[in-house]
Amino acid sequence: VENVRLLDRLSSRKAALGTLYLTATHVIFVENGSETRKETWVLHSQISSIEKQATTASGCPLLIRCKNFQVIQLVIPQERDCHDVYISLIRLARPVKYEELYCFSFNPKLDKEEREQGWKLVDLNEEYNRMGIPNNYWQISNVNRDYGVCDSYPTELYVPKSATAHIIVGSSKFRSRRRFPALSYYCKDNNASICRSSQPLSGFSARCLEDEQMLQAIRKANPGSDFLYVVDTRPKLNAMANRAAGKGYENEDNYSNIKFQFIGIENIHVMRNSLQKMLEVCELKSPSMSDFLWGLENSGWLKHIKAIMDAGIFIAKAVAEEGVSVLVHCSDGWDRTAQVCSVASLILDPYYRTMKGFMVLIEKDWVSFGHKFNHRYGNLDGDPKEISPVIDQFIECVWQLMEQFPCAFEFNERFLIHIQHHVYSCQFGNFLCNSQKERRELKIQERTYSLWDHLWKNRADYLNPLYRSDHSQTQGTLRPQMAPCNFLYKFWSGMYNRFEKGLHPRQSVTDYLMAVKEETQQLEEELEVLGERLVNLQKLQLNDNKVKSTQQDRSKQLGLSSSNNSLANTPQEYSNDLKSFPSRSPSQGDEEDSALILTQDNLKSSDPDLSANSDQESGVEDLSCRSPSGGGCLPSEDSGKDSDEAVFPAV
Amino acid sequence: RFVGSLGTVIIKCKDLRIIQLDIPGMEECLNIASSIEALSTLDSVTLMYPFFYRPMFEIIEDGWRSFLPDQEFELLSSVTDEWRLSCINKEFSVCPSYPPVVIVPKSIDDEALRKVAMFRHGSRFPVLSYYHKKNGMVMMRSSQPLTGTNGRRCKEDEKLINATLRPGKRGYIIDTRSLNVAQQARAKGGGFEQEAHYPQWRRIHKCIERFNILQESLIKLVEACNDQSHNMDRWLSKLEASNWLTHIKEILTAACLAAQCIDREGASVLVHGTEGTDSTLQVTSLAQIILDPRCRTIRGFESLVVREWLQAGHPFQQRCAQSAYSNSKQKWEAPVFLLFLDCVWQILRQFPCSFEFNEQFLIMLFEHAYASQFGTFLGNNENERFKLKLPQKTMSLWSWVNTSEELSKFQNPLFEANSLVIWPSVAPQSLQLWEGVFLRWNRPSKFLDEAHEEMISIIKYNKELQAKVNALRRQLAEMETDDRMQENL
């Protein structure tokens, strides 16, 4: 469709005219301007809603909201075209079969072997070995081989040695969807562990001997402690209501030596509505400070984030400080339980704060334990009531921790944002389906590529420059502040206003420090080369008089090798001033000046979505299309001063 | 400022810290409390600490003489000759809150200035605040014109501000009050420039709050920050109810607007509110930080504070008397300067590599504005400072700050000179609570400090390597030329 206008959300004056294309996988908007030809790419799987608004004199407006929080406003001149686009998009954004998803057609030009290697990057058996199991207390159980006991659990699970198959199967019959207690994290320093399950089918009075034995076995696997925490992450009221349906929570009288604890995290429906409310606030056009703060509070979002953090901190403290094992569950044990177990693991174990470890953590607590990615993130058309930002909340908790502990994480904010993006993008197979069983049936590993491999290959872009493996913050358990801590949780504009580049700090400390570190590394290399040359030259000069005949040859050689080096390292320019380092110049979204353009290129290439997809055409194109520095950036927009225009008409 | 009960003295400080002392013995406790009370509420300025303070550092540079108007004018006259230095206020006879010398258009003589002074509130006639080298546009500041209800006019005033316009160009008057407030001011003899008499000027009203509204906002904010409850909702609504960030947004927006008029519209600007000693200075000084890279250096910022706040007659002694914990309602108290520093911090946060100074520098200025061993922020204007003989009797803050040892604490390791205009975002998502001031005593900053140290060491190591590489390269180059010379021989 031609002559479509892409509106800028911040200023109505700046609309881009261009052509809209729909492909099998993307919506593409190409601007008419011949030199720039800026393109905006949106994956169909990212589309969360499409809204056709009332036709105006200038055309028919179409509002596309994306799951990665991008909002696109188009105006299509002809009502009929708009309707066609609308109908097609509705169909394209809601595929009914897995085979329609992008990952089945996405081909990053890797051969079979590379693809297989990619899937091997994260290996959970290796991870359990790293934790120190199997050992005297814990063993692998094959009771769920062929998914015979629980179809949403993985085949390989770790359970206490004393838990026989009989106990496990018996316990599974007493738990929602047969999700019996299994090991999530083991702390080898003090034998304390985190186990997870679903709620017991206790109703008002039912008991199950095997389930009681199972909990006993978990407690005994930690000989240093004489009790076990059972953490129900639901609000007490919800858990009590479940009893009427024959579900519920553990009765302290029936289980010996447990301490039972509620932690009120709300359910997926409350969270979905909360996010919805917060996004409405983010979408407001030039809101006042009060609108924003009031809306943020009203959404309750940060309150929910705090509840998840509190739960994670509680468990981490129980394990690290008290040395007590914890069993965590919610209702089905695949949403809140996943959030809380992974937050606790992250606080406890510095390994999960590395890039590789974080991938392992998501693979372990989310992917393998049957978090319902397909339902929660609406990859296939399904029940909208199943959709909820569960992993988004976990990712935000990580960011909140990063804000408090700037040196503790090996990765940076961008890493989190890109993982969130790909949870929804369906470009890689990792997050497809609802369980391991479904993924195996679909042969995901043979037919798609792994995100972890993709991120790992681009890891230079995701490094936190402040991370040092020997820094005190990277050692042992993190100790987040407990009280008073409300102000520690902040709105994450980098995520929820991700595409409103104008709102973000114009100079990135992370990028700046990364560039400095890169330069430092090059300097180190050059220092070595120069040092060698110096030694050689000194030797030469010593020998000079004696072996005059050979001298010429050798100096030639030296000259040659040094020029090679200069090609490899480009050391000639950056020593005196840093101008040869584009990324060094902390430019800003302001004027068309050289520093600025360089930075944009820099950002572009550092965005893996873009760099990896420049030829595969699958990117998000967020940076170039929305960046405020893109060409005609006026201060009026930068300063978000739409409100001024009323009193400040064009001169 | 303190509450004493049963052997406990709680001292609430101006830098927002709260100290609790448990003292055995009722009587001793009461004595201590009353002594502190008496010593912290001295009536006479001359009994204050700056008059007794003896510096323990070597004075290399007298801060009282670091930023003189003459130097500023010298800089200006190197780029334009349309302005002159007027000594009309030599004995503070024309305007008590102005410095002895001011910069005015060359074409306006002192006689005319005297007439203009009569027409402006507190005699604060329009003077030059900033000259934008890029396009020759200027920013002036003044107080409100005394038009009153019958629309008085002053030909000299019109002539003075028109003198700053290029032929055929228009200018903008930014009134920091809402139109409503400005209209009400007429009843009290004040007012605003009427279109009929100033046809070349377009007036824009921006509402920036003042006095007790700001002070209450500060008190509420600090209360919210000290709230120990675990309730997220209460925190956000209290933060909202304090309106502090709303004020920040308003001030920044007005400053951006002024900067936009100058840089983008290529127009000259006159800024004033009522008295021209508070919101006016916030706007003119922030606009300069946006426009002028020099103001983002340590020395340049110091010079800005001296010019636009101290010499321009911001009444520090009245505004920064008791800070947030005062029980008694101080009529003139208002955190105007703190709001300015907060706005600078917001810009610094958005452009972390464009400022030579760091957050600590701003916090230090906040502390010294409220309580200091130096005389710099004493008094309400140059006139009072002159009468108190502060330059003779007290030390200047700048003498201390500009020693190399102190400077190193205030330097931003990420600084890279940026010659561009920097446009901050004023969207609510972009503005944050200044934790370094308001949560300073309530949150552990260890991990953040560690991050800062890490940053410094990364950059330091890089600089060391650069120096080494350069030295080696030079050595090699020398040896190679030696070599070649030998060869040639």
Side-chain angles (χ1 to χ4, degrees), chain A residues 277-302:
Chain A
K277 279 189 192 161
M278 185 173 73
L279 291 180
E280 278 165 21
V281 176
C282 297
E283 267 189 57
L284 288 176
K285 271 193 182 175
S286 48
S288 74
M289 205 72 219
S290 296
D291 291 341
F292 177 73
L293 287 175
W294 191 84
L296 185 60
E297 184 201 313
N298 207 34
S299 76
W301 182 260
L302 288 175

Side-chain angles (χ1 to χ4, degrees), chain A residues 281-282 287-290 292-294 296-297 300 302-303 306 403-407 465-466 468 471-473 479 481-491 493 497 502-509 512-513 516-517 519-520 523-524 526-527 530-531 533-534 537-538 540-541 544 548 551-552 555 571-576 578 584-586 588-591 593 633-636 638-641 643-644 647-651, chain B residues 134 170 172 202-206 224-240 243 245-246 249 253 256-258 260-261 263-265 296 349-355 413-416 418-433 435 439 442-444 446-448 450-452 454-455 457-459 461-463 465-466 468-470 472-473 475-476 479-480 482-483 486-487 489:
Chain A
V281 176
C282 297
S288 74
M289 205 72 219
S290 296
F292 177 73
L293 287 175
W294 191 84
L296 185 60
E297 184 201 313
L302 288 175
K303 188 174 71 183
K306 182 174 180 291
E403 285 285 287
Q404 290 178 44
F405 299 93
C407 306
L466 297 174
R468 201 158 33 83
H471 193 279
S472 64
Q473 286 183 32
R479 294 180 198 285
Q481 204 196 359
M482 284 298 282
C485 57
N486 298 321
F487 44 70
L488 290 177
Y489 301 110
K490 289 177 276 194
F491 173 71
S493 68
N497 282 113
L503 300 179
H504 303 155
R506 295 311 166 72
Q507 297 172 327
S508 157
V509 175
Y512 181 83
L513 287 175
V516 171
K517 280 187 111 170
E519 189 195 66
T520 301
L523 284 170
E524 275 171 349
E526 197 198 351
L527 203 60
L530 288 177
R533 271 174 64 188
L534 191 68
L537 259 179
Q538 279 166 342
L540 264 179
Q541 285 186 342
D544 199 23
K548 206 153 192 180
Q551 191 237 6
Q552 263 182 320
S555 70
Q572 247 58 0
E573 275 111 319
Y574 62 72
S575 63
N576 299 325
L578 302 154
R584 264 312 279 271
S585 54
Q588 58 188 62
D590 184 24
E591 280 160 42
D593 112 316
C633 169
L634 289 166
S636 59
D638 288 10
S639 309
K641 278 185 293 182
S643 54
D644 296 336
V647 286
F648 198 73
V651 186
Chain B
K134 194 167 126 194
R170 304 219 304 179
Y172 290 91
R202 183 190 290 272
R203 212 177 58 245
I204 304 171
H205 289 277
K206 289 260 111 189
C225 292
N226 289 340
D227 181 9
Q228 303 282 320
S229 83
H230 287 249
N231 189 327
M232 192 75 214
D233 282 355
R234 259 179 69 190
W235 158 245
L236 280 175
S237 61
K238 281 186 155 187
L239 179 64
E240 193 267 320
N243 273 329
L245 288 170
T246 302
K249 184 165 149 63
T253 307
C256 287
L257 180 70
Q260 190 185 11
C261 291
D263 189 65
R264 293 295 158 129
E265 304 292 341
R296 298 172 220 142
R349 208 188 64 82
Q350 294 185 30
F351 295 89
C353 308
S354 297
F355 287 82
L414 305 173
F415 177 59
E416 258 197 26
N418 174 357
S419 59
L420 301 172
V421 177
I422 53 176
W423 300 106
S425 160
V426 297
Q429 289 96 323
S430 312
L431 303 178
Q432 288 190 357
L433 177 71
E435 298 184 11
L439 300 176
N442 309 342
R443 57 138 205 207
K446 178 170 169 264
F447 305 120
L448 303 179
E450 282 174 0
H452 190 72
E454 194 64 31
M455 222 181 270
S457 72
I458 288 172
I459 287 164
Y461 180 55
N462 176 277
K463 296 237 164 89
L465 275 184
Q466 269 177 37
K468 268 190 207 162
V469 167
N470 280 343
L472 259 184
R473 237 191 237 153
Q475 200 182 342
L476 269 172
M479 286 176 76
E480 268 165 1
D482 284 356
D483 231 22
Q486 279 185 4
E487 245 171 74
L489 285 173

Side-chain angles (χ1 to χ4, degrees), chain A residues 388-448:
Chain A
S388 186
V390 182
I391 201 165
D392 304 60
Q393 286 183 317
F394 165 64
I395 290 171
E396 175 164 342
C397 286
V398 182
W399 178 79
Q400 301 279 4
L401 278 171
M402 279 163 66
E403 285 285 287
Q404 290 178 44
F405 299 93
C407 306
F409 292 83
E410 191 192 13
F411 46 87
N412 58 29
E413 179 183 7
R414 197 180 296 147
F415 186 61
L416 298 178
I417 291 174
H418 284 154
I419 290 177
Q420 191 273 350
H421 176 86
H422 287 296
V423 163
Y424 292 92
S425 76
C426 300
Q427 184 177 335
F428 298 94
N430 303 60
F431 305 128
L432 245 48
C433 306
N434 292 321
S435 66
Q436 194 186 64
K437 182 168 175 252
E438 284 180 36
R439 277 188 294 275
R440 293 225 171 134
E441 282 163 4
L442 265 177
K443 297 195 180 3
I444 292 292
Q445 297 210 355
E446 286 140 65
R447 298 164 72 191
T448 71

Side-chain angles (χ1 to χ4, degrees), chain A residues 314-326:
Chain A
F314 175 86
I315 294 165
K317 269 196 168 165
V319 169
E321 286 171 23
E322 298 178 57
V324 178
S325 296
V326 186

